[in-house]
Amino acid sequence: MILTDLPDGFHDDPWPHYAALREAGAVRQPDGSVLLGRHRDLEAVYKDPATFRSDKREVFAPKFGDTPLYAHHTTSLVFNDPPLHGRVRRVLTGALTPRALAQLQPRLEALVDGLLDRMGAQPDLIEDYAAAIPVEVIGDLLDVPRAERGPLRGWSLAILGALEPAPGAARLEAGNAAVEAFLAYLRDLVARRRARPGDPETDVLTRLAADPDLSEAELLHNCIFILNAGHETTTNLIGSALWLLDRHKAARGADPAALIEETLRLESPNQLGNRQTTAPVTLAGVEIAAGTDLHLCIGAANRDEAVFEDPDRLRPGRPPRHLAFAAGPHVCIGLTLARMEGRVALARFLARHPGYRIVDAERAGRVRFRGFSRLTARLG
């Protein structure tokens, strides 16, 4: 399986290729990097940050050059190790407390109900529902004025699209333009927020802007990261859950929280992670030199028959051993929020439309982020 030369039909049905990857254990890529797909190998990598680093400055330099995309991705939380990772994570953890999330849930429920109230008889469940939820939730966390939220999704999709294994010139150009536009907007928003601070217990931007440990660049780029990390993956989670339940109608009566866990496993919104070795290691029987880039195939690991019985089957109630949120010190900081969004969106949709049908679906066509660009449903 070569990430930069995937076969036709891969985005619709990657599972045979992932099974072959697990059988092989590790596959060297033409650029010398290594693709891994077994659950035990990914788990070992995630839990050993000393041997497998997240810092991407060396990796992203040839890919992005001296561009806004390079500045963004090498400053954001996910592609960094301590001390930056620890400083930013501490601030965000303090903002996503159980109390803050409990206060957010009624607003989330009202948002979802409002979307359902306005939904037509044949909606696009991505545009009209799944994508609208996380944008509004993250907008509320950062207290972005509602009238200014229009460009957020487009910026996010463009920036994340540049993370594909082979993004191409058009995606890179769109990603760089999105970073510049997003930064310009955030500079103005931060200035306004510093002039009139919000409640740091519930307003993440006020909390970040007041933290003396963050530089201005770290503040701005990690605001972008918060939207990107919480937007596209949660959109894909909600959309994929609704798609799965169209194919498995008998499961619609299961616990929504358990359905979300199985969606995370079967249709992991983020299919690929990355690390770089700091010392020689052996993984899946392959000797790997220090300084080697690793691609971690989460989508393959989450269907590993060595861990999950009957792994290709939707079975709500399994123990949550999937790696959809990674593991170790870089485990997704927003996992509780993502689960809450998915659970509320799925439960309230099914309560209104228990007999819905998907009549048309279009995959987004990306390797790293698995989901749909369109999911047309018939509700009646």
PDB file of all heavy atoms in Angstrom, residues 11-12 124-127 153 232 236 239-240 243 358-366 369-377:
ATOM      1  N   HIS A  11     -10.935   4.971  -1.779  1.00  0.00           N
ATOM      2  CA  HIS A  11     -11.686   5.782  -0.810  1.00  0.00           C
ATOM      3  C   HIS A  11     -13.023   5.131  -0.459  1.00  0.00           C
ATOM      4  O   HIS A  11     -13.506   5.274   0.671  1.00  0.00           O
ATOM      5  CB  HIS A  11     -11.892   7.194  -1.352  1.00  0.00           C
ATOM      6  CG  HIS A  11     -10.610   7.914  -1.607  1.00  0.00           C
ATOM      7  ND1 HIS A  11      -9.745   8.251  -0.598  1.00  0.00           N
ATOM      8  CD2 HIS A  11     -10.042   8.354  -2.766  1.00  0.00           C
ATOM      9  CE1 HIS A  11      -8.690   8.877  -1.110  1.00  0.00           C
ATOM     10  NE2 HIS A  11      -8.850   8.940  -2.418  1.00  0.00           N
ATOM     11  N   ASP A  12     -13.616   4.417  -1.401  1.00  0.00           N
ATOM     12  CA  ASP A  12     -14.874   3.735  -1.110  1.00  0.00           C
ATOM     13  C   ASP A  12     -14.650   2.465  -0.298  1.00  0.00           C
ATOM     14  O   ASP A  12     -15.460   2.129   0.573  1.00  0.00           O
ATOM     15  CB  ASP A  12     -15.600   3.383  -2.416  1.00  0.00           C
ATOM     16  CG  ASP A  12     -16.150   4.606  -3.123  1.00  0.00           C
ATOM     17  OD1 ASP A  12     -16.578   5.544  -2.416  1.00  0.00           O
ATOM     18  OD2 ASP A  12     -16.142   4.624  -4.358  1.00  0.00           O
ATOM     19  N   ASP A 124     -29.236  17.321   2.811  1.00  0.00           N
ATOM     20  CA  ASP A 124     -27.860  16.838   2.770  1.00  0.00           C
ATOM     21  C   ASP A 124     -27.402  16.777   4.227  1.00  0.00           C
ATOM     22  O   ASP A 124     -27.226  17.814   4.871  1.00  0.00           O
ATOM     23  CB  ASP A 124     -26.982  17.799   1.965  1.00  0.00           C
ATOM     24  CG  ASP A 124     -25.507  17.406   1.964  1.00  0.00           C
ATOM     25  OD1 ASP A 124     -25.143  16.421   2.646  1.00  0.00           O
ATOM     26  OD2 ASP A 124     -24.721  18.096   1.308  1.00  0.00           O
ATOM     27  N   LEU A 125     -27.219  15.589   4.745  1.00  0.00           N
ATOM     28  CA  LEU A 125     -26.923  15.435   6.163  1.00  0.00           C
ATOM     29  C   LEU A 125     -25.525  15.905   6.540  1.00  0.00           C
ATOM     30  O   LEU A 125     -25.215  16.016   7.725  1.00  0.00           O
ATOM     31  CB  LEU A 125     -27.108  13.968   6.582  1.00  0.00           C
ATOM     32  CG  LEU A 125     -28.527  13.428   6.467  1.00  0.00           C
ATOM     33  CD1 LEU A 125     -28.595  11.983   6.918  1.00  0.00           C
ATOM     34  CD2 LEU A 125     -29.504  14.290   7.262  1.00  0.00           C
ATOM     35  N   ILE A 126     -24.697  16.212   5.554  1.00  0.00           N
ATOM     36  CA  ILE A 126     -23.398  16.836   5.849  1.00  0.00           C
ATOM     37  C   ILE A 126     -23.576  18.345   5.945  1.00  0.00           C
ATOM     38  O   ILE A 126     -23.368  18.947   6.998  1.00  0.00           O
ATOM     39  CB  ILE A 126     -22.350  16.476   4.775  1.00  0.00           C
ATOM     40  CG1 ILE A 126     -22.176  14.950   4.692  1.00  0.00           C
ATOM     41  CG2 ILE A 126     -21.026  17.168   5.091  1.00  0.00           C
ATOM     42  CD1 ILE A 126     -21.743  14.284   5.979  1.00  0.00           C
ATOM     43  N   GLU A 127     -23.984  18.966   4.869  1.00  0.00           N
ATOM     44  CA  GLU A 127     -24.095  20.421   4.831  1.00  0.00           C
ATOM     45  C   GLU A 127     -25.143  20.939   5.816  1.00  0.00           C
ATOM     46  O   GLU A 127     -24.920  21.938   6.505  1.00  0.00           O
ATOM     47  CB  GLU A 127     -24.454  20.881   3.411  1.00  0.00           C
ATOM     48  CG  GLU A 127     -24.427  22.391   3.211  1.00  0.00           C
ATOM     49  CD  GLU A 127     -23.029  22.968   3.267  1.00  0.00           C
ATOM     50  OE1 GLU A 127     -22.060  22.245   2.950  1.00  0.00           O
ATOM     51  OE2 GLU A 127     -22.884  24.154   3.638  1.00  0.00           O
ATOM     52  N   ARG A 153     -15.592  27.099   8.159  1.00  0.00           N
ATOM     53  CA  ARG A 153     -15.511  25.740   7.633  1.00  0.00           C
ATOM     54  C   ARG A 153     -14.624  25.673   6.395  1.00  0.00           C
ATOM     55  O   ARG A 153     -13.807  24.755   6.237  1.00  0.00           O
ATOM     56  CB  ARG A 153     -16.906  25.207   7.312  1.00  0.00           C
ATOM     57  CG  ARG A 153     -16.851  23.745   6.881  1.00  0.00           C
ATOM     58  CD  ARG A 153     -18.193  23.207   6.435  1.00  0.00           C
ATOM     59  NE  ARG A 153     -18.064  21.828   6.002  1.00  0.00           N
ATOM     60  CZ  ARG A 153     -18.836  21.250   5.110  1.00  0.00           C
ATOM     61  NH1 ARG A 153     -19.821  21.939   4.543  1.00  0.00           N
ATOM     62  NH2 ARG A 153     -18.658  19.997   4.762  1.00  0.00           N
ATOM     63  N   GLU A 232     -13.608  19.096  11.304  1.00  0.00           N
ATOM     64  CA  GLU A 232     -13.744  18.094  10.253  1.00  0.00           C
ATOM     65  C   GLU A 232     -13.915  16.695  10.814  1.00  0.00           C
ATOM     66  O   GLU A 232     -14.718  15.900  10.304  1.00  0.00           O
ATOM     67  CB  GLU A 232     -12.513  18.160   9.327  1.00  0.00           C
ATOM     68  CG  GLU A 232     -12.533  17.156   8.184  1.00  0.00           C
ATOM     69  CD  GLU A 232     -13.652  17.411   7.168  1.00  0.00           C
ATOM     70  OE1 GLU A 232     -14.462  18.341   7.360  1.00  0.00           O
ATOM     71  OE2 GLU A 232     -13.715  16.655   6.178  1.00  0.00           O
ATOM     72  N   ASN A 236     -17.196  14.317  10.243  1.00  0.00           N
ATOM     73  CA  ASN A 236     -17.095  12.968   9.687  1.00  0.00           C
ATOM     74  C   ASN A 236     -17.684  11.924  10.631  1.00  0.00           C
ATOM     75  O   ASN A 236     -18.292  10.949  10.180  1.00  0.00           O
ATOM     76  CB  ASN A 236     -15.630  12.632   9.398  1.00  0.00           C
ATOM     77  CG  ASN A 236     -15.059  13.440   8.249  1.00  0.00           C
ATOM     78  OD1 ASN A 236     -15.805  14.051   7.486  1.00  0.00           O
ATOM     79  ND2 ASN A 236     -13.757  13.459   8.119  1.00  0.00           N
ATOM     80  N   GLY A 239     -21.583  12.233  10.317  1.00  0.00           N
ATOM     81  CA  GLY A 239     -22.006  11.758   8.998  1.00  0.00           C
ATOM     82  C   GLY A 239     -21.827  10.264   8.833  1.00  0.00           C
ATOM     83  O   GLY A 239     -22.715   9.566   8.319  1.00  0.00           O
ATOM     84  N   SER A 240     -20.684   9.746   9.283  1.00  0.00           N
ATOM     85  CA  SER A 240     -20.427   8.312   9.140  1.00  0.00           C
ATOM     86  C   SER A 240     -21.360   7.479  10.009  1.00  0.00           C
ATOM     87  O   SER A 240     -21.773   6.379   9.623  1.00  0.00           O
ATOM     88  CB  SER A 240     -18.972   8.004   9.482  1.00  0.00           C
ATOM     89  OG  SER A 240     -18.095   8.559   8.527  1.00  0.00           O
ATOM     90  N   TRP A 243     -24.577   7.255   8.141  1.00  0.00           N
ATOM     91  CA  TRP A 243     -24.388   6.368   6.983  1.00  0.00           C
ATOM     92  C   TRP A 243     -24.363   4.907   7.424  1.00  0.00           C
ATOM     93  O   TRP A 243     -25.011   4.049   6.805  1.00  0.00           O
ATOM     94  CB  TRP A 243     -23.098   6.740   6.271  1.00  0.00           C
ATOM     95  CG  TRP A 243     -22.769   5.870   5.099  1.00  0.00           C
ATOM     96  CD1 TRP A 243     -23.298   5.935   3.840  1.00  0.00           C
ATOM     97  CD2 TRP A 243     -21.820   4.791   5.072  1.00  0.00           C
ATOM     98  NE1 TRP A 243     -22.738   4.972   3.030  1.00  0.00           N
ATOM     99  CE2 TRP A 243     -21.829   4.257   3.755  1.00  0.00           C
ATOM    100  CE3 TRP A 243     -20.963   4.245   6.015  1.00  0.00           C
ATOM    101  CZ2 TRP A 243     -21.018   3.185   3.383  1.00  0.00           C
ATOM    102  CZ3 TRP A 243     -20.149   3.173   5.653  1.00  0.00           C
ATOM    103  CH2 TRP A 243     -20.184   2.654   4.347  1.00  0.00           C
ATOM    104  N   ILE A 358     -30.687   6.866   3.327  1.00  0.00           N
ATOM    105  CA  ILE A 358     -29.690   7.573   2.522  1.00  0.00           C
ATOM    106  C   ILE A 358     -29.950   7.232   1.067  1.00  0.00           C
ATOM    107  O   ILE A 358     -29.988   6.056   0.688  1.00  0.00           O
ATOM    108  CB  ILE A 358     -28.255   7.154   2.905  1.00  0.00           C
ATOM    109  CG1 ILE A 358     -27.993   7.423   4.394  1.00  0.00           C
ATOM    110  CG2 ILE A 358     -27.233   7.880   2.027  1.00  0.00           C
ATOM    111  CD1 ILE A 358     -28.033   8.873   4.799  1.00  0.00           C
ATOM    112  N   VAL A 359     -30.133   8.254   0.236  1.00  0.00           N
ATOM    113  CA  VAL A 359     -30.431   8.013  -1.183  1.00  0.00           C
ATOM    114  C   VAL A 359     -29.267   8.368  -2.096  1.00  0.00           C
ATOM    115  O   VAL A 359     -29.249   7.986  -3.260  1.00  0.00           O
ATOM    116  CB  VAL A 359     -31.699   8.789  -1.614  1.00  0.00           C
ATOM    117  CG1 VAL A 359     -32.915   8.270  -0.861  1.00  0.00           C
ATOM    118  CG2 VAL A 359     -31.541  10.293  -1.393  1.00  0.00           C
ATOM    119  N   ASP A 360     -28.276   9.091  -1.571  1.00  0.00           N
ATOM    120  CA  ASP A 360     -27.103   9.422  -2.383  1.00  0.00           C
ATOM    121  C   ASP A 360     -25.968   9.786  -1.441  1.00  0.00           C
ATOM    122  O   ASP A 360     -26.186  10.446  -0.419  1.00  0.00           O
ATOM    123  CB  ASP A 360     -27.398  10.600  -3.325  1.00  0.00           C
ATOM    124  CG  ASP A 360     -26.278  10.822  -4.339  1.00  0.00           C
ATOM    125  OD1 ASP A 360     -25.628   9.837  -4.723  1.00  0.00           O
ATOM    126  OD2 ASP A 360     -26.056  11.984  -4.719  1.00  0.00           O
ATOM    127  N   ALA A 361     -24.764   9.338  -1.769  1.00  0.00           N
ATOM    128  CA  ALA A 361     -23.605   9.612  -0.925  1.00  0.00           C
ATOM    129  C   ALA A 361     -22.381   9.844  -1.797  1.00  0.00           C
ATOM    130  O   ALA A 361     -22.185   9.160  -2.803  1.00  0.00           O
ATOM    131  CB  ALA A 361     -23.351   8.447   0.030  1.00  0.00           C
ATOM    132  N   GLU A 362     -21.571  10.813  -1.398  1.00  0.00           N
ATOM    133  CA  GLU A 362     -20.325  11.093  -2.101  1.00  0.00           C
ATOM    134  C   GLU A 362     -19.191  11.206  -1.092  1.00  0.00           C
ATOM    135  O   GLU A 362     -19.258  12.017  -0.159  1.00  0.00           O
ATOM    136  CB  GLU A 362     -20.422  12.401  -2.903  1.00  0.00           C
ATOM    137  CG  GLU A 362     -19.159  12.730  -3.675  1.00  0.00           C
ATOM    138  CD  GLU A 362     -19.282  14.019  -4.467  1.00  0.00           C
ATOM    139  OE1 GLU A 362     -20.409  14.329  -4.907  1.00  0.00           O
ATOM    140  OE2 GLU A 362     -18.260  14.709  -4.632  1.00  0.00           O
ATOM    141  N   ARG A 363     -18.179  10.363  -1.243  1.00  0.00           N
ATOM    142  CA  ARG A 363     -17.022  10.401  -0.362  1.00  0.00           C
ATOM    143  C   ARG A 363     -16.216  11.680  -0.588  1.00  0.00           C
ATOM    144  O   ARG A 363     -16.161  12.204  -1.697  1.00  0.00           O
ATOM    145  CB  ARG A 363     -16.123   9.192  -0.613  1.00  0.00           C
ATOM    146  CG  ARG A 363     -16.672   7.889  -0.058  1.00  0.00           C
ATOM    147  CD  ARG A 363     -16.350   7.755   1.387  1.00  0.00           C
ATOM    148  NE  ARG A 363     -16.989   6.574   1.983  1.00  0.00           N
ATOM    149  CZ  ARG A 363     -17.077   6.394   3.280  1.00  0.00           C
ATOM    150  NH1 ARG A 363     -16.612   7.307   4.114  1.00  0.00           N
ATOM    151  NH2 ARG A 363     -17.652   5.315   3.776  1.00  0.00           N
ATOM    152  N   ALA A 364     -15.579  12.153   0.485  1.00  0.00           N
ATOM    153  CA  ALA A 364     -14.768  13.365   0.375  1.00  0.00           C
ATOM    154  C   ALA A 364     -13.493  13.118  -0.419  1.00  0.00           C
ATOM    155  O   ALA A 364     -12.872  14.067  -0.897  1.00  0.00           O
ATOM    156  CB  ALA A 364     -14.432  13.899   1.763  1.00  0.00           C
ATOM    157  N   GLY A 365     -13.066  11.863  -0.543  1.00  0.00           N
ATOM    158  CA  GLY A 365     -11.917  11.539  -1.398  1.00  0.00           C
ATOM    159  C   GLY A 365     -10.581  11.915  -0.811  1.00  0.00           C
ATOM    160  O   GLY A 365      -9.676  12.318  -1.546  1.00  0.00           O
ATOM    161  N   ARG A 366     -10.461  11.781   0.508  1.00  0.00           N
ATOM    162  CA  ARG A 366      -9.173  12.055   1.147  1.00  0.00           C
ATOM    163  C   ARG A 366      -8.710  10.828   1.917  1.00  0.00           C
ATOM    164  O   ARG A 366      -9.526  10.043   2.401  1.00  0.00           O
ATOM    165  CB  ARG A 366      -9.284  13.266   2.077  1.00  0.00           C
ATOM    166  CG  ARG A 366      -9.426  14.575   1.297  1.00  0.00           C
ATOM    167  CD  ARG A 366      -9.350  15.761   2.202  1.00  0.00           C
ATOM    168  NE  ARG A 366     -10.552  15.886   3.012  1.00  0.00           N
ATOM    169  CZ  ARG A 366     -10.682  16.786   3.987  1.00  0.00           C
ATOM    170  NH1 ARG A 366      -9.681  17.584   4.282  1.00  0.00           N
ATOM    171  NH2 ARG A 366     -11.803  16.878   4.672  1.00  0.00           N
ATOM    172  N   PHE A 369      -8.462  12.033   6.254  1.00  0.00           N
ATOM    173  CA  PHE A 369      -9.739  12.302   6.913  1.00  0.00           C
ATOM    174  C   PHE A 369     -10.860  11.589   6.154  1.00  0.00           C
ATOM    175  O   PHE A 369     -11.168  11.948   5.021  1.00  0.00           O
ATOM    176  CB  PHE A 369      -9.995  13.806   6.993  1.00  0.00           C
ATOM    177  CG  PHE A 369      -8.944  14.534   7.778  1.00  0.00           C
ATOM    178  CD1 PHE A 369      -7.951  15.256   7.134  1.00  0.00           C
ATOM    179  CD2 PHE A 369      -8.930  14.473   9.161  1.00  0.00           C
ATOM    180  CE1 PHE A 369      -6.970  15.912   7.866  1.00  0.00           C
ATOM    181  CE2 PHE A 369      -7.953  15.131   9.902  1.00  0.00           C
ATOM    182  CZ  PHE A 369      -6.974  15.845   9.250  1.00  0.00           C
ATOM    183  N   ARG A 370     -11.457  10.585   6.779  1.00  0.00           N
ATOM    184  CA  ARG A 370     -12.462   9.763   6.110  1.00  0.00           C
ATOM    185  C   ARG A 370     -13.858  10.275   6.423  1.00  0.00           C
ATOM    186  O   ARG A 370     -14.254  10.402   7.587  1.00  0.00           O
ATOM    187  CB  ARG A 370     -12.335   8.307   6.540  1.00  0.00           C
ATOM    188  CG  ARG A 370     -13.335   7.383   5.852  1.00  0.00           C
ATOM    189  CD  ARG A 370     -12.999   5.926   6.072  1.00  0.00           C
ATOM    190  NE  ARG A 370     -14.009   5.044   5.482  1.00  0.00           N
ATOM    191  CZ  ARG A 370     -14.084   4.732   4.188  1.00  0.00           C
ATOM    192  NH1 ARG A 370     -13.192   5.229   3.348  1.00  0.00           N
ATOM    193  NH2 ARG A 370     -15.023   3.935   3.735  1.00  0.00           N
ATOM    194  N   GLY A 371     -14.612  10.552   5.399  1.00  0.00           N
ATOM    195  CA  GLY A 371     -15.967  11.031   5.590  1.00  0.00           C
ATOM    196  C   GLY A 371     -16.624  11.294   4.249  1.00  0.00           C
ATOM    197  O   GLY A 371     -16.148  10.840   3.200  1.00  0.00           O
ATOM    198  N   PHE A 372     -17.699  12.028   4.286  1.00  0.00           N
ATOM    199  CA  PHE A 372     -18.498  12.312   3.101  1.00  0.00           C
ATOM    200  C   PHE A 372     -18.546  13.800   2.822  1.00  0.00           C
ATOM    201  O   PHE A 372     -18.598  14.617   3.743  1.00  0.00           O
ATOM    202  CB  PHE A 372     -19.929  11.794   3.279  1.00  0.00           C
ATOM    203  CG  PHE A 372     -20.031  10.305   3.419  1.00  0.00           C
ATOM    204  CD1 PHE A 372     -19.948   9.696   4.669  1.00  0.00           C
ATOM    205  CD2 PHE A 372     -20.194   9.507   2.296  1.00  0.00           C
ATOM    206  CE1 PHE A 372     -20.029   8.314   4.790  1.00  0.00           C
ATOM    207  CE2 PHE A 372     -20.278   8.116   2.411  1.00  0.00           C
ATOM    208  CZ  PHE A 372     -20.192   7.532   3.667  1.00  0.00           C
ATOM    209  N   SER A 373     -18.558  14.151   1.533  1.00  0.00           N
ATOM    210  CA  SER A 373     -18.799  15.534   1.151  1.00  0.00           C
ATOM    211  C   SER A 373     -20.288  15.783   0.943  1.00  0.00           C
ATOM    212  O   SER A 373     -20.745  16.915   1.034  1.00  0.00           O
ATOM    213  CB  SER A 373     -18.030  15.887  -0.120  1.00  0.00           C
ATOM    214  OG  SER A 373     -18.406  15.022  -1.185  1.00  0.00           O
ATOM    215  N   ARG A 374     -21.034  14.707   0.686  1.00  0.00           N
ATOM    216  CA  ARG A 374     -22.491  14.819   0.521  1.00  0.00           C
ATOM    217  C   ARG A 374     -23.143  13.530   0.994  1.00  0.00           C
ATOM    218  O   ARG A 374     -22.634  12.433   0.747  1.00  0.00           O
ATOM    219  CB  ARG A 374     -22.872  15.076  -0.928  1.00  0.00           C
ATOM    220  CG  ARG A 374     -24.370  15.352  -1.136  1.00  0.00           C
ATOM    221  CD  ARG A 374     -24.735  15.579  -2.581  1.00  0.00           C
ATOM    222  NE  ARG A 374     -24.663  14.355  -3.378  1.00  0.00           N
ATOM    223  CZ  ARG A 374     -23.726  14.075  -4.248  1.00  0.00           C
ATOM    224  NH1 ARG A 374     -22.752  14.944  -4.465  1.00  0.00           N
ATOM    225  NH2 ARG A 374     -23.714  12.937  -4.933  1.00  0.00           N
ATOM    226  N   LEU A 375     -24.262  13.673   1.693  1.00  0.00           N
ATOM    227  CA  LEU A 375     -25.001  12.518   2.211  1.00  0.00           C
ATOM    228  C   LEU A 375     -26.483  12.888   2.153  1.00  0.00           C
ATOM    229  O   LEU A 375     -27.046  13.436   3.093  1.00  0.00           O
ATOM    230  CB  LEU A 375     -24.555  12.231   3.650  1.00  0.00           C
ATOM    231  CG  LEU A 375     -24.702  10.814   4.189  1.00  0.00           C
ATOM    232  CD1 LEU A 375     -23.906   9.822   3.348  1.00  0.00           C
ATOM    233  CD2 LEU A 375     -24.218  10.762   5.635  1.00  0.00           C
ATOM    234  N   THR A 376     -27.109  12.603   1.026  1.00  0.00           N
ATOM    235  CA  THR A 376     -28.500  12.988   0.818  1.00  0.00           C
ATOM    236  C   THR A 376     -29.434  11.939   1.429  1.00  0.00           C
ATOM    237  O   THR A 376     -29.271  10.741   1.178  1.00  0.00           O
ATOM    238  CB  THR A 376     -28.807  13.157  -0.671  1.00  0.00           C
ATOM    239  OG1 THR A 376     -27.845  14.039  -1.258  1.00  0.00           O
ATOM    240  CG2 THR A 376     -30.208  13.720  -0.884  1.00  0.00           C
ATOM    241  N   ALA A 377     -30.404  12.400   2.199  1.00  0.00           N
ATOM    242  CA  ALA A 377     -31.314  11.477   2.880  1.00  0.00           C
ATOM    243  C   ALA A 377     -32.762  11.779   2.506  1.00  0.00           C
ATOM    244  O   ALA A 377     -33.109  12.905   2.116  1.00  0.00           O
ATOM    245  CB  ALA A 377     -31.151  11.595   4.401  1.00  0.00           C
TER     246      ALA A 377
END
